[in-house]
Amino acid sequence: MSRKRKNDSYFVDHYDDWIETYKVGAIREVTLNKYYMTAKTLRRIVPDLKISELDRLVYQNILNEYAITHEKQTTMDFHHQVKACISDLFHDGLIERDPTYRAIIKGKPAKPKKMKFLQADELKKLVRSLDLGTEINMDWFTLVVAKTGLRFAEALALTPKDFDFKNNTLSISKTWEYKLTSGQFAPTKNESSVRTIAIDWQLVGQFGPILKDMPADEPIFIKKDANGHYKRAFNSTYNNFLARKCKEAGVTEITFHGLRHTHASVLLSAGITVQSISKRLGHSNVTTTQEVYMHIIDELAQKDNQIMIGTLTSIA
């Protein structure tokens, strides 16, 4: 195909071809689906845009149109996925200038996100209300997340061999692609998410015997159907279960993400350092932990101030 003919082709068609050429088989399916959604959005916004018509004004208008109904961070993600394709067009010499240069990212104001988590006494009530029988169920899943602070996908991916009951540790090295119809193991969110954490002796004593006869490499919380295929795990199903258990226990209704926050909050309030909690949660850096749990850190700082004043006052 000549360069002129290529320039006269529709950008949306080129973007579809670009995804198939450079992304299919090279990225995770969950991420690939996001590119497909971007392609679908482009067909809605600029179905008849030709490559030769791409300039900074046209591109900025695409972003502005998208930003009307999306928050700024979402618009930024959309921009990055479209820009990657356009950058290739520029470097391949199919367009003379990069229309994404100095693009302005707009978007709806982000909705204030109020983090829901349990206080230590509420967490105790929830744990005491769990039905921890001899069969693996969502109650056991709830206990494990409460005691470890794992992300939802990390907890789903746990296998018996991840537990070292002799040394009271748990290794996190993978996640479960629960958003796919056929779930499977996947890499962790980032390198920092690969970690080994300490677990308490109560969890060891309770959970160890349950896992004794389970296959070492099989996911603990994902069951198989009659055909031997892994059943789909829906985040909403688990969250609805947890909300119901919270309601029955008479505590604040939270999600499993909120239970992860609860785990960290309880440890922070107990005086565990931010650095230790950051490593336990698998955050990429301490700054992330500080930003997420600033409300608790501020509360602890106020308590520290009271202790310092009391200490200094006693000096006479």
Side-chain angles (χ1 to χ4, degrees), residues 1 14 28 31 59 76 84-85 88 178 202 246 261:
M1 181 179 290
H14 177 82
R28 294 166 59 180
T31 306
Y59 184 70
M76 177 66 78
C85 174
D88 284 349
Y178 66 91
Q202 285 184 328
C246 288
H261 287 315

Side-chain angles (χ1 to χ4, degrees), residues 28 38 47 69 84-85 109 118 127 137 143 154 159 164 169 171 178 192 211 217 222 269 289 292-293:
R28 294 166 59 180
T38 296
T69 55
C85 174
L118 303 180
V127 169
N137 55 18
L143 180 67
E154 291 174 340
T159 62
D164 182 348
T169 60
S171 297
Y178 66 91
S192 301
L211 305 183
D217 295 321
I222 304 295
S269 298
T289 314
V292 174
Y293 299 103

Side-chain angles (χ1 to χ4, degrees), residues 170-203:
L170 170 63
S171 297
I172 300 96
S173 59
K174 57 193 177 303
T175 62
W176 187 258
E177 289 278 26
Y178 66 91
K179 294 182 180 180
L180 303 181
T181 303
S182 54
Q184 59 189 29
F185 290 115
T188 55
K189 185 175 181 179
N190 49 53
E191 292 184 6
S192 301
S193 296
V194 178
R195 60 202 188 276
T196 298
I197 64 173
I199 54 178
D200 66 273
W201 61 267
Q202 285 184 328
L203 183 60

Side-chain angles (χ1 to χ4, degrees), residues 17-34:
D17 293 340
W18 178 82
I19 292 175
E20 295 302 313
T21 302
Y22 294 102
K23 297 303 176 182
V24 173
I27 57 178
R28 294 166 59 180
E29 189 172 345
V30 171
T31 306
L32 180 62
N33 287 336
K34 294 179 181 178

Side-chain angles (χ1 to χ4, degrees), residues 116 118 122-123 125-130 139 142 238-255 259:
K116 277 192 174 184
L118 303 180
E122 290 184 302
L123 181 59
K125 288 182 181 179
L126 174 62
V127 169
R128 289 168 184 165
S129 73
L130 297 176
D139 294 79
T142 302
Y238 280 76
N239 283 334
N240 289 338
F241 166 82
L242 180 56
R244 186 174 70 252
K245 295 297 292 189
C246 288
K247 187 175 182 180
E248 292 173 356
V251 301
T252 305
E253 293 182 27
I254 61 171
T255 63
L259 192 55

Side-chain angles (χ1 to χ4, degrees), residues 86-97:
I86 293 178
S87 293
D88 284 349
L89 281 172
F90 173 64
H91 288 293
D92 290 341
L94 297 176
I95 52 177
E96 294 183 0
R97 295 180 176 83

